[in-house]
Amino acid sequence: MLKNYLKITWRNLLRHKAFSFINILGLAIGMASSALILLWIQNEVSYDQFHEKKDRLYEVYNRSVFDGKLWCWGTTPKVMGKALKQGYPQIEETARTTSNKFLFTVGDKRLTVPGNFTDPGFLTMFSFPLISGNAHTALNNIHDIVITQKLSKKLFGDANAMGKTVKIDSNAYFTVTGVLKDLPNNTRFEFEYLLPWSYMKKIGWDDEYWGNNSVQTWVLLKKGVTEAQADAAIVNVTKSHSDTKDISQFLHPLSKWRLYSKFDDKGKVSGGRIETIRIFSIIAAFILLIACINFMNLSTARSEKRAREVGIRKVVGALRNSLICQFLGESVLIAFIAGVIALIAVQLSISGFNTLTDKQLFVPYGNPYFWLIFLGFILFTGIISGSYPALYLSSFKPVSVLKGTLKAANALITPRKLLVVIQFTFAVVLIVCTIIIRQQLKYAQDRDSGYKKDNLVYVMMTGSVQKNYVAIKSELINSGAATAVTKTSAPITQGWSDSWGYNWNGRTAGGEKIDFNIFNTDGDFVKTMGLKVISGRDIDIINYPSDSSAMLLNEASVKIMGFKNPVGQVVRNGEGKDAQLWHVVGVVKDFILQSPYEPVKHMLIQGPKAWFNVIHFKLNNAHNTAENLKRAEQVFKKYNPDYPFEYNFVDQEYARKFGDEQRIGTLASLFAGLTIVISCLGLFGLAAYMAQNRIKEIGVRKVLGASVAGVTTMLSKDFLKLVMLSFLIATPISWWAMHKWLQGYSYRISISVWVFVIAAFITVLISVITVSFQAIKAALANPVKSLRSE
């Protein structure tokens, strides 16, 4: 019996090649698209899930009220980890991490490498496997270092790195005590080496100040201790160790690190990347559903062709259950063929998909669970796509079929029409969402950054740059490489520091805490960055020696401080004799330091009395970029010969702020296009079949004088009505979805009516082209041939 079913299925596929091709192609595209999305989702939800102790691992978060709103953040004081380990029995182990970049020298090899300072317990808390070395002792000594396989390869080639010496930052030597397997692509940690916290303390970068929130603190709870118990125990760590009485602590579990980064006004997790995961999960489900709908529609459209087969089988004793099994078997076979094609398509496209998503996804062919899931995916697709046709075809009554009285349904609402409406509803929703996402992206990209990004370059102050800064600045300008130079605490595209300990005349005592972005400069800041001065002047230590304690405010700061005449005002940082006084010399127009989707935050730009990490310089327009960089490199090599000249273009750094939205927009466009393709494949097949079924009617109409345009309109209008109905249903759904999505951005567009007009036009145009091709073909056919068959 099974052999007979397979033979019939194969003959049906070959007999109706066009419909078989459309069915298989539609399913293959749908399955491949869904598979790619599922691979992406699997990667996202698996972040850091490989750690053996994941159920007991947490990150320490702070919680406090600023500007009248509750804020939650994941940076803590450096002393937090030590305090938690020593004073709280609920905690088994702690580790702190903070990122850095050092110059590594081995022989004639010199590399600037990103890594972390951390505590010895890091390697036992987290499951980053060591190829060589002991996780319990690898970071116990001050000059130990653990490196990754990748860094080992860069420094030592194929030689065993264990026990070898590495010179770091030109003056310190470390012994390799461990080699880590390269980090997987689904972890939040990014480093190529680990240095012991004890060395950080030796070079003076450690402190025990509870007001300096600058590192991540990780804790491992003891077995049996719940998150709620630990939260209750550590909630007042900062309060009990310092004078700060309005900051509390809580634990953020490993399971939520990647997907949950937003907190509501009560400090509870409220969302984050999980929202994007949910959106693309829905997209994957609907793309597969649309492909299955194609199969359903085309199978039921050909019901009259198979009605006699069903009738005869029932007459000779076939039960409905056996017929259902037969038709489901056919759909599973077709789904299997489509699945094989889909797998090939996934393999061919995954490289490009990785580029779009900035991932390193792969198909795990060697994993037996993958094949089980893949076969289950095929079986699920086959059953879903074949369920309705199987139930529909097996329901035919043999008497009606064999008498020839079976008629196709022509009701106002039929399952087939409903399925077409569902298909195009989702297609329209995706088109609208794609347009709005791209609008929002362009809206943020077109926003005035407040400074001139072109030809603006920055380099980190490594090695001898700090002590030779004056000479470097002078020679960059005298060499013609730059027209302006300034040193700052951070790149202009990033915010590395913020503080709430500032006061000024007129500030209400005991008022709400106000958190300021802190940015430091030594002078020529306005000139180098191309800022606009609203009032006063730039910091100028040469002409105004007292500017060592000068300060610039942005417009947002002036507003929140309530200054009518800000120039000349004094801003205090701290209290008592240790308070630092800054005098305001100017106000600059707001510029975007962090997210271009958020309002500009109040900012204090402090003068040369502060600290510095970065040099910015404006390239000279009189020369080309390559020539300017060549001259700049000569200057830095002269004064900092041990370090490579590594530079960053500000405009490129700024463009990276839009990376996530660009990827979402591109993926939405891609899958909207694929949805349209799959839907149109089904529409094309239905139109072809309907035209074939009505070929005699068309012949009669043409003999009686009907025009090609009239016949085309007759065959197309029913489909276009369904498409327009889909648009009417999709409009409120897409508006609601995009309205909710846009609420995540403070700086956002409003949804315009013309977006829906464009979506309607695109959908109708594509549908008309798809249907009209078959309609015109049928209308142009010679009526003599169609009527002569009898």
Side-chain angles (χ1 to χ4, degrees), residues 164-233:
K164 287 188 165 49
T165 301
V166 180
K167 184 167 76 170
I168 292 180
D169 206 22
S170 300
N171 56 15
Y173 291 86
F174 287 78
T175 301
V176 177
T177 54
V179 178
L180 280 172
K181 187 177 181 181
D182 284 339
L183 273 58
N185 67 351
N186 57 344
T187 178
R188 68 173 294 178
F189 294 97
E190 296 179 6
F191 59 82
E192 291 190 42
Y193 64 86
L194 296 172
L195 288 175
W197 198 270
S198 54
Y199 179 71
M200 181 173 167
K201 187 172 184 178
K202 178 184 177 182
I203 60 178
W205 290 6
D206 193 15
D207 64 70
E208 297 197 354
Y209 174 47
W210 282 89
N212 180 10
N213 292 277
S214 57
V215 304
Q216 280 78 41
T217 301
W218 321 96
V219 302
L220 176 68
L221 298 184
K222 289 182 178 178
K223 291 180 179 179
V225 177
T226 66
E227 181 182 339
Q229 290 171 336
D231 278 343

Side-chain angles (χ1 to χ4, degrees), residues 181-435:
K181 187 177 181 181
D182 284 339
L183 273 58
N185 67 351
N186 57 344
T187 178
R188 68 173 294 178
F189 294 97
E190 296 179 6
F191 59 82
E192 291 190 42
Y193 64 86
L194 296 172
L195 288 175
W197 198 270
S198 54
Y199 179 71
M200 181 173 167
K201 187 172 184 178
K202 178 184 177 182
I203 60 178
W205 290 6
D206 193 15
D207 64 70
E208 297 197 354
Y209 174 47
W210 282 89
N212 180 10
N213 292 277
S214 57
V215 304
Q216 280 78 41
T217 301
W218 321 96
V219 302
L220 176 68
L221 298 184
K222 289 182 178 178
K223 291 180 179 179
V225 177
T226 66
E227 181 182 339
Q229 290 171 336
D231 278 343
I234 73 165
V235 65
N236 293 320
V237 177
T238 298
K239 294 177 185 178
S240 61
H241 288 83
S242 69
D243 295 332
T244 303
K245 302 303 178 186
D246 52 3
I247 296 179
S248 60
Q249 286 69 46
F250 67 97
L251 298 180
H252 193 44
L254 178 147
S255 60
K256 296 181 179 179
W257 288 352
R258 175 69 175 179
L259 303 181
Y260 296 89
S261 58
K262 293 180 182 178
F263 297 85
D264 60 22
D265 56 3
K266 295 181 180 179
K268 302 297 182 182
V269 169
S270 63
R273 201 171 182 85
I274 188 65
E275 294 160 5
T276 304
I277 299 294
R278 288 168 181 158
I279 289 170
F280 280 96
S281 298
I282 293 170
I283 289 174
F286 271 96
I287 287 179
L288 186 62
L289 178 61
I290 286 171
C292 293
I293 286 173
N294 271 359
F295 186 95
M296 294 177 192
N297 274 339
L298 292 175
S299 297
T300 55
R302 294 194 298 119
S303 59
E304 291 183 35
K305 299 291 184 183
R306 303 200 67 178
R308 290 185 182 277
E309 175 193 343
V310 172
I312 292 172
R313 284 185 177 275
K314 282 194 171 184
V315 167
V316 296
L319 299 176
R320 188 181 182 189
N321 286 343
S322 66
L323 291 172
I324 290 174
C325 290
Q326 176 194 343
F327 292 126
L328 282 177
E330 289 182 11
S331 64
V332 170
L333 177 60
I334 292 173
F336 180 80
I337 297 170
V340 172
I341 297 171
L343 188 59
I344 295 170
V346 167
Q347 187 59 51
L348 293 175
S349 60
I350 199 165
S351 176
F353 190 71
N354 281 337
T355 302
L356 285 178
T357 57
D358 193 27
K359 293 279 189 183
Q360 298 175 14
L361 306 178
F362 60 94
V363 181
Y365 295 110
N367 189 337
Y369 290 108
F370 163 75
W371 293 107
L372 287 175
I373 294 170
F374 178 64
L375 291 174
F377 182 55
I378 288 175
L379 185 63
F380 174 78
T381 304
I383 292 173
I384 292 296
S385 58
S387 57
Y388 174 64
L391 294 172
Y392 178 74
L393 292 172
S394 64
S395 66
F396 291 163
K397 295 180 179 180
V399 175
S400 300
V401 169
L402 298 178
K403 282 185 176 181
T405 57
L406 179 69
K407 299 292 182 183
N410 194 28
L412 180 63
I413 299 176
T414 64
R416 195 179 309 145
K417 291 179 180 179
L418 181 62
L419 293 173
V420 170
V421 169
I422 291 173
Q423 273 188 316
F424 277 89
T425 296
F426 186 68
V428 173
V429 168
L430 268 184
I431 291 172
V432 171
C433 292
T434 300
I435 295 172

Side-chain angles (χ1 to χ4, degrees), residues 24 62 140 162 164 178 216 220 256 293 336 408 443 482 484 487 518 604 619 709 743 767:
I24 292 171
N62 286 312
N140 283 357
M162 287 293 292
K164 287 188 165 49
Q216 280 78 41
L220 176 68
K256 296 181 179 179
I293 286 173
F336 180 80
Y443 186 63
K487 61 180 177 179
I518 305 300
L604 306 179
L619 298 180
Q743 297 311 300
S767 303

Side-chain angles (χ1 to χ4, degrees), residues 63 111 404 790:
R63 182 163 47 208
L111 302 171
E790 300 253 352

Side-chain angles (χ1 to χ4, degrees), residues 128-143:
F128 294 114
L130 281 164
I131 296 173
S132 304
N134 187 326
H136 295 275
T137 60
L139 292 172
N140 283 357
N141 300 314
I142 194 168
H143 287 290

